[in-house]
Amino acid sequence: MSTFAVTIETIGEVRDHTNADRLEMATLAGKDYDFVVGKGEFEVGEAVVYFPVDSELPQWITDALQLTSRLAGSAKNRVKTIKLRGNISQGLVAKPTALAHEAPSILQAQVGDAVTDILGVTKYDPPPVMITHGELRPLPKFVSKYDIEGAQNHVALAGSLMDERVYITEKLEGSHWSITYLREDDVVYVSQRNYRIEPNGKGEHVWHKLAREGNYEQIVRQIADELDAQAITLRGEAVGSGIQGDYYKLKEHRLYIFEIEVDGVPLPAGAFLTLAEQYALPIVPVLAKDIILREWLDEQTLKLASDGRSKIADKAREGIVIKPMVEQRDDAVGRVFLKQRSPAYLAKSDF
C-alpha cells in the first residue's frame, strides 16, 4: 500500500546546479529524489523535513518558508514536480528550526519519523471522478483501495529487483476502474479507486458504460466459474474525454486492464497475461515481460527509463510500473511492485 508522509530525512548529497550559480541540487539518503535548494543552505548529513510531491501545506508553513502564492494548485500551496533553471526538482525540504515556532515538537522528531500531523500537512487527491448518474458507497468485499509504492521512495527495494525477472508496463494517466463479482451474493459491483458506484436511476455512469460495452460482467462471472473463485476483480485505468483532464486527448472513453484478483489476491504476471489473452482483454501497454530488469534498463536509471512516448497517444509517457514475474512480499510495503513516474512528465504536467 502506497504511503504518504512528511518525514524527517537526512541530506545525502549536495552538488552544483548545472545552470544557476545561486542554486544547488540535493538528494536524500536512501531515496532517489533530486531537488533544488539555495546554495550553501544545506549540508550532507543534515536532518531536514521533507515534503513530498502532492503535499498541501497550511499557510503558516508557506509563510515561514517564504513560499506564499509560489506553489501549485488553486490555493498555491501544493508541492509539485517542477523544473528550475533546467533541473527537475521533486519535493521540498526545510530546516526543522524554520518550523519550530508554530510546531515546537518538530525539534524532538528523529530521522525517519513521520511529522505529517504535527505540521498539519495533507495529501492532494484529485476530486472524485464523475459521480453524476451514481452514488458512492464503500468498496465491496475482497476489494481494497489500490496504491503503488514509488521506486524513488524505496531505493533498496528497487535495487533488489534488478536481477529479478519482471513485467514492465506503461503507467497511464487516467482514473482507476474496477469490476468485482461476488459469488456468495451473485452480484457484480463497479468501483472507482475509493468507492463502489451504485446506479441511481438517473442515467448510466461512465464506469458502468465501460463495463457494459466491454461485456465485463459476463467475463468476471466466467473467470469465477473457471477458477472456482468466491470473488473476481478486474482492475483497469479509464482514460478519455472528461477523465482526469483527458491527458491523451481522445475522442472516446477507453479502458485498459492491468490486474486480475482472485479472492482479493492478485494473479502473478504470467497468469494475468494468459487470462487476458484468453478473454481478449485490452491491457495496459506492455514494455517488457519475463526479462531481467537490469538487462532491460541497459545501464539506464529507472528515472531515465521511465521517460518516453506513450503507446496510446503521441504524448509523454507518465511513467512505468514494474512487477516481479513471481509475486513477492516485503515486510515494510507488503506486495512488491513499484511505479516510477517520469520526472520529465511531472515537471510539464498540470495534473
Side-chain angles (χ1 to χ4, degrees), residues 240-241 244-252 254 313 315 351:
S241 177
Q244 286 291 87
D246 188 15
Y247 173 70
Y248 302 101
K249 305 305 178 188
L250 303 174
K251 294 181 179 179
E252 73 283 356
R254 297 183 192 173
K315 302 283 286 185
F351 295 95

Side-chain angles (χ1 to χ4, degrees), residues 8-71:
I8 304 296
E9 303 290 346
T10 302
I11 296 291
E13 178 188 21
V14 178
R15 63 184 187 276
D16 290 340
H17 191 289
T18 57
N19 195 37
D21 292 338
R22 295 184 179 181
L23 299 175
E24 292 178 318
M25 299 301 300
T27 63
L28 300 173
K31 299 186 184 296
D32 193 26
Y33 298 106
D34 294 310
F35 44 88
V36 176
V37 296
K39 190 173 184 65
E41 189 175 0
F42 297 97
E43 298 180 352
V44 172
E46 181 176 356
V48 294
V49 180
Y50 176 65
F51 299 93
V53 169
D54 286 338
S55 296
E56 289 191 321
L57 311 185
Q59 184 161 349
W60 74 265
I61 293 182
T62 59
D63 290 346
L65 302 182
Q66 299 181 359
L67 293 172
T68 302
S69 300
R70 295 176 60 187
L71 298 179

Side-chain angles (χ1 to χ4, degrees), residues 66-114:
Q66 299 181 359
L67 293 172
T68 302
S69 300
R70 295 176 60 187
L71 298 179
S74 59
K76 301 297 182 182
N77 69 336
R78 173 159 56 94
V79 178
K80 181 179 179 293
T81 298
I82 59 174
K83 186 176 285 188
L84 289 173
R85 298 291 298 273
N87 284 20
I88 288 173
S89 183
Q90 291 185 279
L92 175 70
V93 293
K95 295 178 183 291
T97 52
L99 307 172
H101 183 266
E102 295 288 339
S105 60
I106 196 78
L107 298 178
Q108 279 72 56
Q110 302 297 308
V111 172
D113 287 352

